[in-house]
Structure formats: structure tokens, C-alpha cells
Amino acid sequence: MAKAKTPTRRFTTDKTDVSENSIRRELDWAGDRSVVEKGSATDKKNYAESLSRALSQRFADALRKSFDGILPNPDGLGQESKARTGKGLKKLDVNYSTVELGLGLGVSIKTINFRDAKTKRYTKNYTRVDNELRAEAADYHERQPYSVLCAVIFVPLDACDDGGSAPSSFGQAIQTFRYRAGREKPVDDTTLFERILIGLYDAEPASFGVTGFFDVMDAPPRTGRPSSLMTFEQAISTIVEAYDARNKSAFKWAEGDTEILAAPERQEDDEEI
């Protein structure tokens, strides 16, 4: 007899009083970090997947004002929804698709949460994540070159503190993922994302979950922490701006709503009688 499949837990926002610039609620929902850190590779994989689902909901909810119908929906349905690629249907963490646009905007969420036991750094999984991003970008852009893809890679804030003769884990993240970002035109390299942000979150108890964002196209310190980071609201604005830059016919109202305008029909001048 086949074993029943365990249903996927859905993360939905609640009224918990958590700062806009904190992902503490999402971290708590994913599991007990201190326990998982001492656990197996499977424990850490499950934690990362749960955290990614919670963060996908967070980003979809924040983007919903500009992208009506974005998935997952407010009830947590539509996690890892599918979009058409050159190799069939594939899953997206955050998916804004319409009949008119096809895939308009996709956001990929990645998390690297624990130091490698041997190196004591966060860099072990950078190549794996970069390969995943390359495959995602190529598959979606090959079929839908006008689609805008953004990625947000979450790493603990102390990734900035392990530098020495080599760049910090954070500095190396920028070195690695910068070459996966910067796609400006639909004819550009399909393996690139339009924008990639690094989300640095504090894992220390006193400020657990406080998060800031850094664009991989900006210059990072070789070691140590950046002098400034984007807020969550600014990170969302960066994603919206990337979409608007691709869709030149996007018209934005003062209230923040964005709509796509059809090109105006050219009218022939009336003939004189």
C-alpha cells in the first residue's frame, strides 16, 4: 500500500507584531535554528525549504499591490506555482503571470543558513546555488525573453565577519552572484537574472531576524559589514523598478499602482472636405 503523502505546510501572515525589516516570523516558522544547526543534512535541507516557502509568501504579499494575482496568494495557495519554460513547466517561488504577458515577473528565493563544519564559512553552497539560478534563468528566458527574473539570496549577517586574507563569505557571495545578474535587455544572455539581492539577516538572539538587503551590482567591503543596506521596502521597490524598466509601457500612479498600457492607435488626419 502506497504511503500517504504528507501535505505541505502553508505559511500565511498573521497579526504578530514583527518589524517590517525583520524575518523573525519566517525563521521561527521554519523551525528551531539552534536544533537544526546540530542536525543532519536532511534537517538543514528541510529547514531551508520551509524558510524559502515562508519568504516567498512574504515577498508575494509585499508585491501584490503592484502585481494583482501574484502567487502564492494571500491564503498561501500557489506555492511553487508553475510557469512555461523552453523545457516544459517549471516551478517558481513567486510568480506573476498574465494571459497578455505570459511570465511577467518571477522571484527566486534561496537561503544559505549555516556555516560549513570544516571551513567555518558559508561559501560551500555558492556554486550549487549559482548553478540552480543559471538553469532557472536559461529555461525561463529561452521561452519568454521579456520576462523579468529577480533572485533574493538570504545569508546570515555574520557572513560579513569571517574575512581575513580572503574576502568574507559575504564578499565572496557578491563575487559569485554578480556574474549571474545584470540582464538589461530581452536580447541579453538568457542565463542571467535582471536583479539579484543578498538578504543579510541577523541570527543573534538580541536582534534575531533583522534583515537588510544588498544589490550584487554594488561594491561590497572586502571584509566587514556594508556601511548601508536596503530596507525590505526598498528591496521590493528594486524588484518593481526592474519590472517597470523592462515594460516601458508601464504607467505608475501616485498611489503606487502600476498598469500596462497598450500602445495608442495612430489616427489618420481627417481629410478636408
Side-chain angles (χ1 to χ4, degrees):
M1 183 176 178
K3 185 178 179 180
K5 185 178 180 180
T6 303
T8 301
R9 292 190 304 153
R10 293 205 303 268
F11 174 85
T12 55
T13 54
D14 55 30
K15 296 181 180 179
T16 304
D17 185 17
V18 176
S19 166
E20 178 184 295
N21 294 312
S22 173
I23 63 167
R24 179 169 187 161
R25 182 171 49 203
E26 289 77 12
L27 289 165
D28 287 343
W29 187 83
D32 188 328
R33 181 181 175 83
S34 62
V35 173
V36 174
E37 188 170 13
K38 299 174 184 177
S40 66
T42 300
D43 294 331
K44 293 174 182 177
K45 179 176 180 291
N46 291 339
Y47 177 89
E49 290 176 352
S50 293
L51 181 57
S52 290
R53 283 196 294 271
L55 290 168
S56 297
Q57 187 70 52
R58 176 74 171 269
F59 273 78
D61 289 342
L63 288 164
R64 206 173 311 284
K65 183 176 181 180
S66 297
F67 303 97
D68 184 36
I70 196 168
L71 296 174
N73 72 15
D75 296 324
L77 297 173
Q79 285 277 356
E80 296 185 323
S81 57
K82 295 178 180 179
R84 181 71 63 181
T85 75
K87 298 178 180 178
L89 293 170
K90 289 200 171 183
K91 297 176 181 178
L92 263 175
D93 293 317
V94 180
N95 177 356
Y96 174 66
S97 297
T98 70
V99 173
E100 295 82 8
L101 292 172
L103 175 61
L105 172 68
V107 181
S108 182
I109 304 292
K110 305 292 184 185
T111 70
I112 300 170
N113 302 292
F114 304 105
R115 293 184 184 276
D116 177 60
K118 293 182 179 179
T119 65
K120 308 301 181 184
R121 289 168 63 83
Y122 290 98
T123 56
K124 179 180 179 180
N125 289 310
Y126 286 1
T127 299
R128 173 185 60 78
V129 170
D130 182 57
N131 286 337
E132 290 175 359
L133 293 175
R134 174 182 51 77
E136 289 176 26
D139 288 348
Y140 288 114
H141 281 144
E142 178 183 297
R143 182 179 176 90
Q144 305 187 79
Y146 279 84
S147 62
V148 173
L149 297 178
C150 298
V152 188
I153 304 166
F154 285 85
V155 184
L157 179 61
D158 66 0
C160 302
D161 303 333
D162 59 8
S165 58
S168 68
S169 292
F170 168 67
Q172 193 168 331
I174 303 302
Q175 287 183 316
T176 301
F177 298 115
R178 174 173 294 174
Y179 294 99
R180 191 58 54 208
R183 188 171 187 267
E184 296 180 354
K185 300 176 183 178
V187 295
D188 289 347
D189 187 347
T190 59
T191 67
L192 300 181
F193 275 66
E194 275 64 23
R195 302 295 286 270
I196 297 180
L197 305 178
I198 304 294
L200 290 170
Y201 70 89
D202 201 331
E204 294 299 316
S207 49
F208 186 63
V210 174
T211 304
F213 298 86
F214 193 90
D215 193 315
V216 299
M217 302 308 289
D218 293 336
R222 193 172 192 276
T223 61
R225 303 182 179 190
S227 58
S228 63
L229 292 169
M230 283 186 275
T231 63
F232 179 72
E233 182 179 1
Q234 289 170 331
I236 293 298
S237 294
T238 296
I239 294 172
V240 174
E241 288 166 5
Y243 174 86
D244 288 347
R246 174 62 43 77
N247 295 276
K248 296 297 185 181
S249 57
F251 187 89
K252 194 165 187 176
W253 298 102
E255 292 80 4
D257 297 330
T258 301
E259 61 181 271
I260 305 300
L261 301 181
E265 294 183 5
R266 295 185 178 276
Q267 300 289 339
E268 297 293 337
D269 291 338
D270 293 338
E271 295 183 2
E272 292 185 3
I273 297 177

